[in-house]
Amino acid sequence: MTVQDKGQLDAQYGLLTDIAQEAGVSLSTVSKVVHRRRDVGAATRARVEELLARHGYVRPWERDHREPRQIITVFRDLSGPYTLEVVRGIVDAAGELGVDVVTGTTGRRSISQWLEECVALGAAGLIIVISMLAEEDQRRIVEQRLPVVLVDPLSAPSPEIPSIGVTNWSGARDAVQHLLGLGHTRIGMVAGRSHSLAGAARLHGYRAALEEAGIGYDPAIVRSTDFDYDEALAATLQLLRTEQPPTAVFAASDAQALGVLEAARQQGLRVPEELSVMSFDDTLVAAMASPPLSAVRQPFEELGREATRVLLQTAEGRPPASPRIELATKLVLRTSTSVARST
């Protein structure tokens, strides 16, 4: 955030706080009036509206469209290839629409604080990426009609809050079917955590492909980790040291797939001759890996554009036709997968 942005944020927050004090109401009540909620008494609403007008406050969605607009994008953290791709997609899409992007994390500032900041800054709305929304935050977003769009939420949100993701289940199923088509029947998986909607869907897609091929699910060659390199490295070393190690591994993200490649190197296994590796994401690092990774590609540019479009549309009072939007994935084949070796 620039010094100018910080100054504007402080001014907006201070203005709404002053109005709340002058009207003798809470900041939350002022926010409700700003977002035209119905659960504010007529007299209180009239008083707050009069003060908003007197102080020259203009709602973000009512401003002259020639003025620069801002949106806020919040991530759990800013590490890892996935985050870079999503940031780039949103910033590029926002730039095409003449919208500035303020980026932050939940490391030192909670979602609740970011919601306050969004109102105080006068931003058009908030895009929240891979985060767990508390019930209180969801209730506030819905009740105060705050323009919020979720990208790959960790838990199922309220249907009133739009969310955007990709076809995780079918993408994972396609990946495992590709490995099956190469003759692999002992396919391990480094999956995401079960609390992650995307991670769970990718694991279910993996299991569906095995079931359709008549192959039983073997938990001994499946490990769940965060979408993290170090955890995936440790988990894959465990898989490769089992009595019947897999001949192929499907990783639920590029970061995990890089951990799989390193585990294979440490175990002296050649990829793909002795171990095929398939990934999910297809961020920039997938093509740079050694060997380059076969992967399920997420349409990051389209993801960023759609999240930005839906957010601005919601800010203008036009919610999307469907609360959940899923963008199609596609398989990108490189040299980390090959025909299963004969035993």
Side-chain angles (χ1 to χ4, degrees):
M1 181 182 296
T2 66
V3 173
Q4 182 179 0
D5 290 337
K6 184 65 168 62
Q8 184 180 0
L9 169 62
D10 291 342
Q12 290 287 340
Y13 188 84
L15 174 58
L16 295 179
T17 301
D18 290 344
I19 289 172
Q21 292 175 346
E22 192 172 344
V25 299
S26 67
L27 180 60
S28 175
T29 298
V30 173
S31 178
K32 290 178 183 180
V33 175
V34 166
H35 290 88
R36 296 198 170 98
R37 267 193 51 183
R38 298 178 180 177
D39 56 340
V40 178
T44 300
R45 178 184 302 279
R47 174 65 174 153
V48 173
E49 287 283 13
E50 188 271 329
L51 289 170
L52 289 170
R54 185 195 306 172
H55 288 281
Y57 182 85
V58 181
R59 291 169 173 83
W61 55 90
E62 294 176 342
R63 291 177 183 165
D64 189 330
H65 289 297
R66 291 173 296 178
E67 292 183 7
R69 290 180 293 173
Q70 286 184 325
I71 61 174
I72 299 176
T73 304
V74 178
F75 296 81
R76 183 177 58 180
D77 56 56
L78 290 173
S79 63
Y82 171 88
T83 301
L84 174 62
E85 294 287 356
V86 175
V87 168
R88 189 157 62 94
I90 292 172
V91 169
D92 287 350
E96 293 172 3
L97 296 168
V99 177
D100 296 325
V101 181
V102 175
T103 302
T105 72
T106 56
R108 295 185 178 179
R109 189 173 298 170
S110 67
I111 293 294
S112 179
Q113 289 172 314
W114 278 113
L115 292 172
E116 292 284 356
E117 193 148 336
C118 184
V119 173
L121 184 61
L126 189 68
I127 297 175
I128 303 174
V129 185
I130 312 186
S131 292
M132 184 78 74
L133 272 187
E135 286 187 19
E136 182 180 345
D137 292 332
Q138 292 197 52
R139 186 164 51 250
R140 181 182 179 191
I141 291 168
V142 173
E143 290 180 351
Q144 298 183 17
R145 298 183 182 179
L146 299 177
V148 170
V149 172
L150 307 179
V151 175
D152 276 341
L154 291 180
S155 58
S158 164
E160 289 94 343
I161 305 174
S163 65
I164 299 174
V166 300
T167 51
N168 290 294
W169 182 88
S170 61
R173 178 172 168 266
D174 290 344
V176 178
Q177 285 181 336
H178 169 68
L179 294 171
L180 290 165
L182 293 174
H184 295 279
T185 55
R186 188 76 175 156
I187 302 172
M189 183 174 183
V190 179
R193 298 293 187 193
S194 59
H195 66 253
S196 161
L197 288 180
R202 292 170 197 177
L203 176 60
H204 292 156
Y206 160 85
R207 296 188 64 165
L210 294 179
E211 184 177 349
E212 290 168 9
I215 297 173
Y217 172 73
D218 185 355
I221 54 172
V222 175
R223 295 289 186 278
S224 292
T225 74
D226 280 343
F227 296 127
D228 177 83
Y229 171 86
D230 290 326
E231 288 192 17
L233 168 58
T236 307
L237 287 173
Q238 294 176 2
L239 293 183
L240 299 179
R241 291 166 181 164
T242 57
E243 278 190 32
Q244 292 181 288
T247 63
V249 173
F250 172 44
S253 71
D254 285 347
Q256 289 165 297
L258 294 177
V260 174
L261 290 178
E262 174 58 18
R265 187 194 68 80
Q266 291 185 18
Q267 289 295 105
L269 295 175
R270 293 172 299 153
V271 177
E273 293 85 357
E274 295 173 291
L275 182 72
S276 284
V277 180
M278 171 68 71
S279 185
F280 198 113
D281 280 341
D282 197 35
T283 59
L284 291 174
V285 301
M288 299 177 188
S290 181
L293 286 165
S294 294
V296 178
R297 174 175 291 173
Q298 294 202 52
F300 290 107
E301 183 177 347
E302 188 181 351
L303 192 66
R305 180 173 287 106
E306 191 68 6
T308 306
R309 182 191 69 78
V310 171
L311 181 66
L312 295 176
Q313 179 179 303
T314 302
E316 293 169 358
R318 298 182 294 118
S322 171
R324 172 68 179 175
I325 298 171
E326 289 197 345
L327 305 179
T329 57
K330 74 174 185 177
L331 213 54
V332 177
L333 301 180
R334 299 192 180 94
T335 56
S336 67
T337 53
S338 69
V339 175
R341 65 184 185 274
S342 56
T343 56

